[in-house]
Amino acid sequence: MGKTIYNEHLREELVYHRLKNGLKIYILVKPGYSRQFAIYAARYGSNDSQFVPLGAKEPIVVPDGIAHFLEHKLFEEEEGNVFQEYSGLGAQPNAFTNFNMTAYHFTSTGKFHKCLDVLLGFVGRPYFTDENVEKEKGIIAQEIGMYQDNPYWRTFSNLLKGMYHSYPVKMDIAGTVESISKIDKEILYECYRTFYNPSNMVLFLAGDIDPDRIINQVEKLFDGKPKSKAEGEIERIFPKEKKGVSKHKIVDKLAVSMPMFALGFKDRDVTQGGERLLKKIVANEIILDMLAGPSSETYNELYDEGLIDSSFDTGYTGEVNYGYSVISGQSRDPEGVASVLYEKIKELKYKPWEQEHFDRIRKKKIGEVIRLFNTLDSVSIQFVSMGFKDIALFDYLRGIETAGFEDIIKEFNQLYREDSSTLSVILSN
Amino acid sequence: MKVVIKYELDKDLNLHVIPDEKFKTVYISYCFHMDLDENYTYNALVPAVLKRGCEGYERQEEINKHLEGKYGSLFDVGVQKRGERQILRFTMDLVNEIYVGMDGLIAQSLYFLNRIISKPVTEGSIFKKDYVNQEKENLKHKIQAMVNDKLEYSMERCIQEMCKDEKYARYVFGSIKELDSLDQNKLYDIYRNMIAACPLDIFVAGDVDPEKISILVKNSMEIERTHRKIIPETIIKKIGVKQRELIEDMDISQAKLNIGLRTNTSVNDKGYFPLVLYTSILGGGPHSKLFMNVREKHSLAYYAFAKMDKYKGILILGSGLDTNNYRQALDIIMQQCKDISMGKITEAEFTASINAIMTSVRGINDDPEGLVDYYLGNVVTGAKYSLEDFIEEIQKVKPENVVEVSKHIKTDLIYLLKPEEAVI
């Protein structure tokens, strides 16, 4: 029924099918697995705070944190709570909202088709009342408070605030206690109608499961329902982000044992996703490992001097419209670490990397992708989030295998510059 | 359900192979058992120093280059607390040879781990001093870093105070005081004693042939065993427990409440499976009494859970709340415990709990590291339940068994970590 895509290298089979209403279904067949994992996600995150509502002409601005608020509220039903329904089936449900997507998922080890009915059912059935919206504000305020105390999160949140002038990624995903106080049921319904359309959603399933039976089941579920037709592209409005960072340094204080830091490099070369973004992601992951990974000169010098420990980490985030690299960790002297990193970056301009180093890191990255397919939830989440950027996960492996040394050098010279960086530090109070 | 094939290689030295063709990686772990005795700080430091280098790979940089070339094999060391013992682990997680066309990856990994464990970089008859000094600092920071995660910190503080006069109060990563007066000779002696005498379990999980693995493990063995060290059993039963309350301050915005309970039940007692169920009904997820009452019904907390440490027979009830709600939340939490012991368990709660446990236990089959942890747990406690046995046993439990086991559960310490300015 669906289209089967087989990847020789990974020895993995993926079935794809698109419903008439635009919903994309992917099934990763994993023989021998005890668990099944399902994720139903909307391309709708905290960044989508300005858009033209479905059927309207003029754009509106909604309170920060509403996508996350909506995620919480969907679990509530007119008759009780979805958690109870899942519990009876022995499944473990959960959900998350990030800057670009909202996802509902469950892990089961039996009764998979029933669980799938529950998932598609409650996400398709919003039930907001004045009372239940008010109640949720208390719970989310507690959640926001919990994040405020988390130094890792604060370091990162401040970094984004420092790097961006106006792009909504600078706002916290959950919003603020003040912003969520403005949320009411009407505005929740408006967001729901616009973004929770099958054509703006993906269903990804993994496990020892039967693709034909699933596709049939889902098709029947949507048949004749109001959402059986595909909607057009949603008009999202994003402010034009200025080049350069808003602040070069942000320092904050919390009860931490040792200062924490995150050094970010803001990418000016932004994309609309697809092949070009894939290339960027691969290039930057390799670059960061070569620059500051565990076998690099930088890492080992800093470690031997006691300036960093094993919490030291790097990563590149590549999204539609924005991107940045982060180098983070704990250190008694974050400024010292930053200046060593700036120094190394300058040095690399006239004493470049060797091909052998590049080949080794590329092997490491290939291993990482193969390893990812061991874990159903990680691979599924990765697949969906890449999909929203028009990148197929199987292509990711190909991207690594075909990455060129010259591309790496070019990307390195483009992005890693002191003048487009922000240092976020949390000091001990 | 997966089988484990056990090979007795020597006294207190066993190999456990868990073959499963669906895995894309091979997970290898050498686990040394040590007593959580007064040398616990030294025990915690040993793996960190060994990780720095060995014969052939004297510097960390060389180790990392080696691993990257092997398609990013993950090598790590660690120390875990399992009841009143520390498990020192040396682990390698590598991509299975068949996916990368590189022969001998497993054999190379075994040789590498053996070298790390038995051929450290030394100066005379002690470890290389630079490595010890750096790792001593890192470990100190790790101990201090406990405060960074308020949830973990408040739980640890609760356990420390609750078990003040027991070995179990010792923090898994050691104490700063001990590190400050570290004796390098003693560190090396403890290490030598570990490899020569402490019980060692080796686990290999992945798409492998057990017979071949047993030969590879034997052939790569460079660890010389000279005598036996017996690790005492963890003390679980505690009589005469009186309920206490302790309130501490910190610069935080959300208060953390942790209630420490003594279950007086070990993994090998007949009350164990009912206790697993008790924990799930009380606070094992969204179906539980704590979640439903503290969070959903009264909106008093963002999280509320019950967590069991089966190795010590302790139950922690944790929640994050506004200090103003402390008394009310405490009352509601305690009421849930009372309700269970009075048999107020609905059919829905009971079934949901059994289902939730079965899902978690079955799920272990899909995770090489989880499988190894589970079977290592069996070695530590002496339990013999396979995952399948576990599921069978849990399904036999009746509500009255849960009520029965709840009678042995005593509240020990109510610990609240609250914001400095907050008043109760």
Side-chain angles (χ1 to χ4, degrees), chain A residues 14-30:
Chain A
L14 183 74
V15 178
Y16 168 71
H17 183 71
R18 189 164 186 177
L19 296 185
K20 272 183 291 194
N21 64 14
L23 178 68
K24 290 176 185 151
I25 308 173
Y26 295 91
I27 300 148
L28 184 68
V29 184
K30 298 287 279 179

Side-chain angles (χ1 to χ4, degrees), chain B residues 145-357:
Chain B
M146 191 168 83
V147 300
N148 296 349
D149 185 332
K150 316 304 177 216
L151 204 158
E152 288 286 329
Y153 171 80
S154 62
M155 267 173 63
E156 189 67 32
R157 280 293 300 134
C158 179
I159 288 167
Q160 280 176 358
E161 282 303 312
M162 181 169 157
C163 304
K164 219 171 20 199
D165 309 318
E166 296 161 79
K167 278 202 270 191
Y168 196 66
R170 291 176 176 144
Y171 188 47
V172 62
F173 296 129
S175 94
I176 300 222
K177 215 175 112 202
E178 284 283 312
L179 282 174
D180 282 336
S181 59
L182 190 91
D183 175 346
Q184 304 243 7
N185 289 308
K186 186 173 164 190
L187 181 69
Y188 196 70
D189 288 346
I190 284 175
Y191 154 69
R192 292 301 310 172
N193 195 48
M194 166 192 106
I195 55 169
C198 287
L200 167 60
D201 286 278
I202 303 166
F203 291 87
V204 179
D207 187 5
V208 293
D209 173 353
E211 282 303 311
K212 274 190 198 153
I213 292 293
S214 78
I215 294 164
L216 284 177
V217 167
K218 269 184 246 167
N219 288 346
S220 59
M221 191 65 82
E222 291 185 41
I223 303 163
E224 269 177 57
R225 313 280 284 176
T226 54
H227 56 290
R228 292 178 79 178
K229 162 114 176 143
I230 308 293
I231 312 289
E233 268 185 44
T234 299
I235 295 163
I236 285 177
K237 298 207 166 37
K238 191 163 189 212
I239 46 166
V241 169
K242 282 204 187 68
Q243 184 175 316
R244 294 171 290 152
E245 183 186 57
L246 176 67
I247 296 170
E248 290 186 330
D249 285 350
M250 201 186 211
D251 179 16
I252 47 173
S253 59
Q254 187 188 72
K256 309 277 175 202
L257 169 61
N258 287 277
I259 306 169
L261 312 175
R262 302 271 181 178
T263 70
N264 296 301
T265 306
S266 90
V267 174
N268 297 303
D269 288 332
K270 73 173 185 351
Y272 175 66
F273 289 97
L275 180 63
V276 172
L277 211 49
Y278 175 95
T279 310
S280 184
I281 294 168
L282 182 61
H287 62 274
S288 68
K289 286 184 182 286
L290 290 182
F291 187 90
M292 285 308 288
N293 290 287
V294 184
R295 180 182 144 129
E296 292 299 301
K297 201 167 149 193
H298 295 278
S299 288
L300 287 174
Y302 176 67
Y303 69 87
F305 63 82
K307 193 173 170 226
M308 176 171 55
D309 180 350
K310 65 176 178 185
Y311 300 98
K312 179 66 182 167
I314 280 177
L315 204 58
I316 302 285
L317 315 183
S319 55
L321 37 85
D322 201 315
T323 314
N324 296 328
N325 296 331
Y326 169 52
R327 292 285 170 213
Q328 193 195 351
L330 182 61
D331 285 347
I332 295 171
I333 293 169
M334 292 314 224
Q335 189 56 47
Q336 307 313 309
C337 300
K338 265 183 222 144
D339 282 355
I340 300 183
S341 49
M342 291 188 314
K344 284 189 194 161
I345 306 166
T346 65
E347 206 186 311
E349 283 168 344
F350 195 78
T351 324
S353 298
I354 293 214
N355 286 339
I357 294 162

Side-chain angles (χ1 to χ4, degrees), chain A residues 151 254-261 306-309 311 329-334 426-428, chain B residues 137-138 140-142 144-145 147-148:
Chain A
L254 264 186
V256 290
S257 58
M258 210 203 297
M260 286 184 187
F261 69 92
L307 280 172
I308 58 167
D309 57 25
S311 67
Q330 302 178 39
S331 176
R332 58 182 155 83
D333 179 13
I426 300 282
L427 294 175
S428 177
Chain B
E137 284 308 307
N138 286 339
K140 247 197 233 179
H141 296 150
K142 208 166 182 174
Q144 288 160 344
V147 300
N148 296 349

Side-chain angles (χ1 to χ4, degrees), chain A residues 261-265 288 290-293 296-299 301-302 307-308 312-314 326-329 333-349 412 416-418 421-423:
Chain A
F261 69 92
L263 176 64
F265 294 89
L288 285 166
M290 292 175 80
L291 173 67
S296 68
E297 232 178 73
T298 319
Y299 180 96
E301 278 178 31
L302 288 168
L307 280 172
I308 58 167
F312 189 76
D313 203 8
T314 65
V326 182
I327 301 174
S328 62
D333 179 13
E335 307 259 351
V337 176
S339 51
V340 169
L341 285 165
Y342 290 141
E343 220 27 67
K344 288 285 172 188
I345 287 167
K346 275 189 208 128
E347 253 178 59
L348 277 163
K349 308 243 153 115
F412 175 76
Y416 299 83
R417 300 152 47 133
E418 190 171 343
S421 73
T422 297
L423 177 66

Side-chain angles (χ1 to χ4, degrees), chain A residues 41-113:
Chain A
R43 188 177 168 188
Y44 172 46
S46 60
N47 283 347
D48 298 298
S49 53
Q50 211 186 133
F51 57 90
V52 179
L54 186 69
K57 292 212 169 60
E58 293 304 311
I60 57 164
V61 180
V62 294
D64 289 319
I66 194 160
H68 172 256
F69 199 102
L70 185 48
E71 172 226 304
H72 269 237
K73 274 335 295 167
L74 270 191
F75 278 95
E76 200 140 353
E77 299 254 71
E78 198 166 354
E79 313 265 324
N81 184 306
V82 174
F83 283 120
Q84 307 318 312
E85 245 180 292
Y86 272 123
S87 294
L89 298 166
Q92 296 159 345
N94 216 332
F96 65 86
T97 305
N98 63 28
F99 295 108
N100 302 291
M101 70 190 259
T102 312
Y104 303 83
H105 54 88
F106 70 79
T107 297
S108 60
T109 56
K111 301 183 179 130
F112 173 73
H113 296 275

Side-chain angles (χ1 to χ4, degrees), chain A residues 9-12 30-36 68 72 76 81 83-84 87-93 107-111 135-136 138-140 142-143 145-152 254-258 260 289 293-297 299-300 303-306 308-310 330 332 356-357 360-368 370-371 373-376 429, chain B residues 1-2 20 22-25 51-52 59-61 64-74 93-96 98-100 102 131 134-135 138 141-142 144-151 250-256 286-288 291-292 295-297 299-303 320-322 325 348 351-353 355-356 358-360 362-368:
Chain A
H9 191 165
L10 293 161
R11 304 185 189 196
E12 293 288 350
K30 298 287 279 179
Y33 270 76
S34 301
R35 286 185 190 134
Q36 301 93 33
H68 172 256
H72 269 237
E76 200 140 353
N81 184 306
F83 283 120
Q84 307 318 312
S87 294
L89 298 166
Q92 296 159 345
T107 297
S108 60
T109 56
K111 301 183 179 130
K135 191 199 86 172
E136 203 66 29
I139 294 178
I140 295 182
Q142 283 292 327
E143 188 178 355
M146 204 171 76
Y147 283 122
Q148 287 300 330
D149 282 341
N150 182 329
Y152 303 95
L254 264 186
V256 290
S257 58
M258 210 203 297
M260 286 184 187
D289 238 312
S295 74
S296 68
E297 232 178 73
Y299 180 96
N300 286 283
Y303 193 100
D304 288 345
E305 280 171 40
I308 58 167
D309 57 25
S310 56
Q330 302 178 39
R332 58 182 155 83
E356 182 265 329
H357 190 179
R360 207 175 64 225
I361 298 299
R362 204 165 52 171
K363 270 191 185 167
K364 176 185 171 186
K365 292 288 161 194
I366 291 171
E368 275 176 20
I370 296 169
R371 188 185 301 280
F373 280 81
N374 250 0
T375 319
L376 300 186
N429 55 3
Chain B
M1 293 284 167
K2 290 303 146 201
D20 192 333
K22 69 173 180 266
F23 293 133
K24 291 194 151 48
T25 57
K51 194 189 176 186
R52 292 301 301 273
R59 299 175 55 238
Q60 206 167 219
E61 201 174 326
N64 290 323
K65 278 184 181 162
H66 167 75
L67 297 168
E68 286 168 358
K70 308 290 175 204
Y71 286 89
S73 292
L74 303 177
D93 186 21
L94 51 131
V95 173
N96 198 314
I98 58 172
Y99 292 99
V100 287
M102 192 186 243
Y131 288 177
Q134 282 164 10
E135 293 313 318
N138 286 339
H141 296 150
K142 208 166 182 174
Q144 288 160 344
M146 191 168 83
V147 300
N148 296 349
D149 185 332
K150 316 304 177 216
L151 204 158
M250 201 186 211
D251 179 16
I252 47 173
S253 59
Q254 187 188 72
K256 309 277 175 202
H287 62 274
S288 68
F291 187 90
M292 285 308 288
R295 180 182 144 129
E296 292 299 301
K297 201 167 149 193
S299 288
L300 287 174
Y302 176 67
Y303 69 87
L321 37 85
D322 201 315
N325 296 331
T351 324
S353 298
N355 286 339
M358 291 205 299
T359 298
S360 309
R362 283 198 198 117
I364 296 173
N365 274 308
D366 294 348
D367 169 19

Side-chain angles (χ1 to χ4, degrees), chain B residues 79-97:
Chain B
V79 54
Q80 298 169 328
K81 190 156 124 180
R82 294 282 179 267
E84 284 164 353
R85 65 172 74 182
Q86 276 167 306
I87 310 285
L88 274 51
R89 288 179 69 161
F90 301 85
T91 298
M92 194 83 155
D93 186 21
L94 51 131
V95 173
N96 198 314
E97 306 166 346

